[in-house]
């Protein structure tokens, strides 16, 4: 039996424009690496319609049954659900632990009104729809404008991110039911059978994600966004083949520091390793150093290289333009995420940004959680065409 008091304090998800809330939850799952396509989304919405959209447990089990494709998806689903709806799994009987970071909460409506009777316990956590709506609004907020509680919630959502490069065909092959005939395995099978007829053995190319290289600007002009972008980079490092460098007045490789499982420990280690927080910006010189020391030797070859910067350059813009051309010749794709791009009337007039833009394949925003989700989609090749807005920006 469901606790009636809890049911009385919930606000139906659909009453709060809940399709947007549920779709936002599915977007967060996609950003975490789940293959939650349109068919699964529609199945999820139908399942929620059949159950009670305002009940945390019902939304949890509806999503788990329709959006998870296998055992590997369950851990990601749990993390995203906890960050988005403010509960652990489908447990509706526990309140959110007191030690948990603060999150914005709106009071739910009482079903029958009036004060609680003496001895009546508090409802178990904030209403599902309230927290979900809060998370959906937060997705589109500029990181620079968030208060401490909203930043804490943003950091929890960023933990569930996954960043994978576009897949490529490897030279390696694996056994497969369909594909080219594998002569060695076929001959070995014939010899094992003493020359008797045997089924042809086949193999196919292995598809692997491309390496992703993140160059994160930690200069003074990027200070409002640097921590969120580095937490995004931390989730990317944990998720796959990703290398991370910070750029400011120095170039620092921080992949090892970001490999810590705990994001707070990773940020502490990174703070100790990076000497040029909130300094100037020497993009051209540092990009040349990256290419000479790592990129030319193979790190950037065939990779997806992402620069997260506002493009302010204290050095020679022509040097930056020349190094961007070198990078573009080596990389499979060059993506530039600029938090300032979302501001009304923005145009890439800064000397560094204007010099770099001709060598950029996709120029996207980087100011909010939703913008980072779109960036992740561009990196994995899901919407690179939609993100290519250079022509409009030049005009």
């Amino acid at each position: 039996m469901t606790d009636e008091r809890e049911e009385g304090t919930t606000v139906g998800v659909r009453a709060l424009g809940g399709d947007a809330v549920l779709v936002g939850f599915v977007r967060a799952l996609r950003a975490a690496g789940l293959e939650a396509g349109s068919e699964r989304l529609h199945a999820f919405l139908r399942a929620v319609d059949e159950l009670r959209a305002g009940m945390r447990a019902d939304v949890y089990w509806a999503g788990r049954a329709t959006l998870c494709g296998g055992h590997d998806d369950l851990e990601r689903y749990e993390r995203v659900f906890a960050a988005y709806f403010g509960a652990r799994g489908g447990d509706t009987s526990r309140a959110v632990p007191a030690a948990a970071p603060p999150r914005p909460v709106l009071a739910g409506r009482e079903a029958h009104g009036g004060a609680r009777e003496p001895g009546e316990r508090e409802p178990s956590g904030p209403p599902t729809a309230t927290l979900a709506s809060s998370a959906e609004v937060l997705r589109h907020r500029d990181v620079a404008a968030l208060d401490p509680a909203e930043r804490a919630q943003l950091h929890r959502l960023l933990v569930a991110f996954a960043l994978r490069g576009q897949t490529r065909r490897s030279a390696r092959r694996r056994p497969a039911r369909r594909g080219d005939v594998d002569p060695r395995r076929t001959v070995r099978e014939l010899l094992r059978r003493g020359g008797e007829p045997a089924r042809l053995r086949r193999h196919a190319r292995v598809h692997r994600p491309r390496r992703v290289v993140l160059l994160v600007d930690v200069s003074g002009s990027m200070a409002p966004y640097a921590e969120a972008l580095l937490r995004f980079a931390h989730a990317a490092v944990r998720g796959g083949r990703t290398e991370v460098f910070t750029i400011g007045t120095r170039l620092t490789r921080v992949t090892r520091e970001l490999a810590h499982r705990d994001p707070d420990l990773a940020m502490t280690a990174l703070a100790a390793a990076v000497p040029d927080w909130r300094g100037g910006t020497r993009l051209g010189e540092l990009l040349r150093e990256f290419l000479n020391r790592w990129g030319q030797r193979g790190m950037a070859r065939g990779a997806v290289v992402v620069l997260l910067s506002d493009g302010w350059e204290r050095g020679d813009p022509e040097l930056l333009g020349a190094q961007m051309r070198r990078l573009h010749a080596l990389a499979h794709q060059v993506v530039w995420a600029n938090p300032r791009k979302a501001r009304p009337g923005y145009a890439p007039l800064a000397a560094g940004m204007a010099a770099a833009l001709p060598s950029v394949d996709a120029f996207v925003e980087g100011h909010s959680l939703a913008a980072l989700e779109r960036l992740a989609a561009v990196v994995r090749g899901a919407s690179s065409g939609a993100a290519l807005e250079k022509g409009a920006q030049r005009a």
Side-chain angles (χ1 to χ4, degrees):
M1 292 288 291
T2 303
D3 191 329
E4 293 181 0
R5 288 188 296 272
E6 181 184 358
E7 188 168 0
T9 60
T10 59
V11 181
V13 169
R14 296 301 167 89
L16 292 175
D19 274 351
V21 170
L22 298 176
V23 171
F25 173 53
V26 175
R27 288 198 191 103
L29 289 172
R30 289 173 182 167
L34 268 72
E35 297 295 332
S38 58
E39 292 184 2
R40 292 185 183 179
L41 170 60
H42 292 313
F44 173 50
L45 295 178
R46 288 197 299 271
V48 172
D49 274 337
E50 294 296 326
L51 300 172
R52 294 161 297 180
M55 297 303 298
R56 183 179 289 115
D58 287 8
V59 174
Y60 170 83
W61 288 111
R64 178 164 168 159
T66 57
L67 299 173
C68 294
H71 183 75
D72 293 340
D73 291 342
L74 295 180
E75 181 183 356
R76 294 193 187 102
Y77 180 84
E78 296 281 351
R79 290 203 309 267
V80 175
F81 190 94
Y84 202 86
F85 291 101
R88 264 186 276 174
D91 187 357
T92 59
S93 63
R94 296 185 188 177
V96 178
R103 63 169 60 89
V105 176
L106 299 177
R109 292 183 289 105
E110 293 289 338
H112 305 291
R116 294 187 184 88
E117 298 178 1
E120 184 178 0
R121 63 183 177 86
E122 292 286 330
S124 57
T128 297
T130 298
L131 282 172
S133 297
S134 169
E136 179 61 17
V137 171
L138 182 65
R139 287 180 61 250
H140 301 278
R141 292 279 306 279
D142 192 309
V143 172
L146 300 182
D147 61 34
E150 291 169 331
R151 283 182 179 274
Q153 187 179 9
L154 174 70
H155 294 166
R156 290 194 298 274
L157 289 168
L158 285 171
V159 169
F161 249 83
L163 188 67
R164 294 185 177 86
Q166 302 175 31
T167 58
R168 63 177 181 84
R169 289 207 313 168
S170 169
R172 294 180 178 273
R173 296 176 181 268
R174 59 172 176 77
R177 292 185 177 182
R178 298 179 180 179
D180 299 332
V181 175
D182 185 343
R184 293 184 179 181
R185 292 179 59 240
T186 300
V187 170
R188 283 199 297 268
E189 182 67 15
L190 289 172
L191 291 175
R192 191 178 69 83
R193 291 173 171 267
E196 294 294 327
R199 177 178 295 178
L200 295 176
R201 301 296 177 179
R202 300 181 181 275
H203 58 189
R205 295 276 190 183
V206 175
H207 286 77
R208 293 182 175 177
R210 295 182 180 275
R211 179 186 291 110
V212 178
V213 180
L214 301 179
L215 303 175
V216 184
D217 189 342
V218 294
S219 63
S221 62
M222 286 289 291
Y225 302 97
E227 183 181 3
L229 295 179
L230 287 168
R231 287 179 179 268
F232 169 75
H234 168 260
V237 168
R238 288 194 56 209
R241 302 178 62 202
T242 304
E243 291 282 348
V244 182
F245 294 80
T246 61
I247 52 177
T249 57
R250 298 186 184 184
L251 177 72
T252 308
R253 187 180 185 182
V254 294
T255 308
R256 180 179 299 177
E257 286 75 14
L258 292 176
H260 286 285
R261 183 176 183 85
D262 185 273
D264 294 324
L265 289 178
M267 292 300 106
T268 302
L270 188 144
V274 177
D276 55 338
W277 288 99
R278 302 194 176 192
T281 314
R282 299 188 298 124
L283 295 177
E285 295 177 31
L286 298 183
L287 187 55
R288 178 175 60 187
E289 181 181 347
F290 165 74
L291 291 171
N292 290 343
R293 292 184 60 186
W294 287 285
Q296 197 78 38
R297 297 181 180 182
M299 185 178 289
R301 290 184 183 274
V304 180
V305 181
V306 183
L307 294 98
L308 299 112
S309 173
D310 56 8
W312 287 98
E313 169 66 299
R314 289 189 177 182
D316 183 2
E318 293 185 4
L319 174 61
L320 176 59
Q323 299 309 311
M324 286 295 297
R325 288 191 290 273
R326 283 182 63 194
L327 176 63
H328 191 263
L330 286 172
H332 172 74
Q333 185 181 28
V334 178
V335 182
W336 195 301
N338 188 335
R340 313 288 180 185
K341 182 177 182 289
R343 297 184 176 181
Y346 170 83
L349 302 178
M353 195 71 257
L357 203 55
S359 300
V360 173
D361 296 307
F363 184 40
V364 299
E365 300 170 355
H367 68 295
S368 67
L369 183 63
L372 293 177
E373 291 173 1
R374 291 192 292 271
L375 169 61
V378 172
V379 170
R380 69 172 178 265
S383 60
S384 57
L388 187 58
E389 303 174 17
K390 295 188 296 181
Q393 290 298 332
R394 288 174 190 156

